[in-house]
Amino acid sequence: MIPFLDLKAAYQALAKELDEAVLRASRSGWYIGGPEVEAFETAFAQYTHAQHCVGVGTGLDALILALRALDIGAGDEVIVPSHTFIATWLAVSAVGATPIPVEPKLGSYLITAQDIAPHISPRTKAIMPVHLYGLPADMPAICALAKQHGLYVVEDAAQAHGATFDGQRIGSHGDVVAWSFYPGKNLGALGDGGAVTTQNPTLAKRIRQLGNYGSAIKYYNEELGVNSRLDPIQAAVLAVKLKYLDAWNARRQAIAARYQSAFADLPIVLPSTLKGANPVWHLYVITTPQREALQQHLTQSGVQTLIHYPVPPHLQQAYQSLGMTNGQYPVAEQYAQQVLSLPIGPQMSDEEVAHTIEAVKNFY
Ligand SMILES: *Cc1c(COP(=O)(O)O)cnc(C)c1O
């Protein structure tokens, strides 16, 4: 069976270096904050071309703390994609604001400035684009639209470590960019982790304080914060993995390029990339009305696939209270019915890629 993603193989490839990093952090005596966290924050800020990086507990926390630092809350609206992982919406709801869904165009998984513009209202405070599947959204256009309307841009970059748009790294465009280091992400820890990057020192300071009980000086609390900090052991692991991220992303890009050309003539919708975008292929997602049959065929052929995501946020039970109905966001609903993620990962061999391609072709 070709696994969808082999996290154990990813660990084994760097076992010696990772074990050393874990041991070093364990022996350091710093178990919250300290030099491992600072070193990773500096390295990741540099990598994303951002002035500041603040480590936090998870990607969801990164999004929530970003919104809180911008004083977004009850009565405010935040524009989100209708098609995304639910964490994007949950962050907006967590601060008491209302998610305003915008549909991507069919055949693209991303929302554009043009799609967003008609949904801006007097209550809109921020636009929250998601670089879904590692495909970078058009940040220059979205930032220009936000500026025109006096809105903040909070990016969900949980799937886009290393992606660029017009040569500029994701992480340096919006007011705050939120990252997840969940193990399956392009840059993943050996557990939960997250970060925000920003060019704004005031926002960086506020986010650090909010994630540390609302306190900059121990036992003096300036606001109602939470406890959400990047663990030093995870930071040590991430600093090792960051050195390999570009090579891993290049491998993902090579696999995606093989898929794109091998499937070009098949009756499936392939992921498209915007002009200027350099994607990092967190996932390789195709769209087909024969999704169930194709998935079954691939399982029988020894290829593991997944669905990202089977239920759109607006139809989740958790969002019943918003009163959104089936049929309201047809693109998101169609994606939920038709998307299929093929295996892609830096540890995948050429043989496994070839086998996956043959298996897909055999179906048609
Ligand atoms: C993974 C992910 C998150 C949440 O990150 P966690 O670290 O799991 O909290 C948010 N948004 C998107 C698009 C994600 O893929």
Side-chain angles (χ1 to χ4, degrees):
M1 191 77 179
I2 297 172
F4 180 75
L5 180 65
D6 194 347
L7 284 177
K8 204 168 161 186
Y11 163 72
Q12 275 159 350
L14 298 178
K16 193 164 171 287
E17 252 187 291
L18 291 173
D19 290 351
E20 274 169 18
V22 169
L23 255 183
R24 189 181 66 237
S26 304
R27 288 171 175 166
S28 73
W30 287 93
Y31 304 119
I32 298 289
E36 299 288 350
V37 176
E38 283 165 25
F40 173 70
E41 287 176 342
T42 303
F44 196 63
Q46 212 161 39
Y47 180 83
T48 55
H49 303 166
Q51 290 296 316
H52 306 275
C53 170
V54 180
V56 299
T58 68
L60 176 57
D61 283 353
L63 288 165
I64 294 172
L65 293 173
L67 292 171
R68 282 198 62 185
L70 294 167
D71 290 316
I72 292 169
D76 297 334
E77 293 180 355
V78 177
I79 287 175
V80 295
S82 61
H83 175 64
T84 179
F85 179 55
I86 196 162
T88 318
W89 286 46
L90 288 178
V92 176
S93 306
V95 301
T98 305
I100 302 297
V102 169
E103 293 254 88
K105 286 196 185 59
L106 205 64
S108 140
Y109 297 116
L110 307 173
I111 55 173
T112 64
Q114 208 184 0
D115 305 327
I116 294 165
H119 298 271
I120 295 172
S121 85
R123 288 175 170 232
T124 311
K125 283 283 156 53
I127 302 171
M128 201 183 253
V130 182
H131 309 292
L132 198 67
Y133 307 150
L135 307 166
D138 185 344
M139 289 320 298
I142 292 172
C143 289
L145 178 73
K147 197 168 172 196
Q148 196 186 326
H149 293 269
L151 307 177
Y152 295 117
V153 177
V154 177
E155 293 169 61
D156 183 339
Q159 303 190 355
H161 316 72
T164 63
F165 201 98
D166 285 346
Q168 194 185 333
R169 273 264 159 74
I170 297 301
S172 57
H173 296 90
D175 293 286
V176 189
V177 184
W179 303 90
S180 164
F181 304 122
Y182 176 82
K185 307 288 160 118
N186 288 39
L187 179 62
L190 300 176
D192 275 316
V196 300
T197 52
T198 178
Q199 309 293 19
N200 181 326
T202 312
L203 282 178
K205 197 168 161 235
R206 179 108 190 263
I207 289 166
R208 194 178 292 287
Q209 183 172 309
L210 279 168
N212 187 42
Y213 306 108
S215 161
I217 300 164
K218 207 168 186 178
Y219 305 132
Y220 292 82
N221 301 77
E222 288 159 54
E223 53 185 327
L224 301 175
V226 296
N227 177 2
S228 183
R229 303 176 292 215
L230 181 63
D231 183 281
I233 294 179
Q234 300 304 343
V237 164
L238 289 166
V240 170
K241 290 190 163 192
L242 182 58
K243 296 186 290 176
Y244 298 89
L245 180 58
D246 284 344
W248 289 336
N249 283 341
R251 177 67 188 149
R252 289 175 183 272
Q253 287 166 344
I255 296 168
R258 282 187 64 188
Y259 284 162
Q260 293 287 73
S261 67
F263 303 148
D265 298 329
L266 299 182
I268 50 182
V269 180
L270 301 181
S272 61
T273 61
L274 300 173
K275 193 168 163 285
N278 188 35
V280 289
W281 301 104
H282 172 60
L283 298 169
Y284 184 87
V285 180
I286 61 173
T287 304
T288 165
Q290 291 165 284
R291 197 256 312 273
E292 307 306 331
L294 176 59
Q295 184 172 40
Q296 203 173 15
H297 165 80
L298 291 174
T299 305
Q300 279 158 6
S301 312
V303 178
Q304 190 189 8
T305 57
L306 293 177
I307 293 164
H308 298 93
Y309 302 91
V311 181
H314 73 281
L315 297 182
Q316 293 283 359
Q317 199 181 331
Y319 277 114
Q320 247 174 9
S321 62
L322 290 181
M324 292 170 175
T325 54
N326 206 346
Q328 198 166 350
Y329 296 101
V331 178
E333 289 158 17
Q334 186 172 340
Y335 279 146
Q337 298 294 319
Q338 300 192 349
V339 289
L340 187 66
S341 306
L342 303 182
I344 191 166
Q347 270 68 44
M348 216 179 156
S349 70
D350 285 342
E351 293 70 35
E352 288 175 323
V353 176
H355 180 85
T356 302
I357 288 172
E358 278 319 298
V360 172
K361 282 183 163 173
N362 283 342
F363 178 77
Y364 291 99

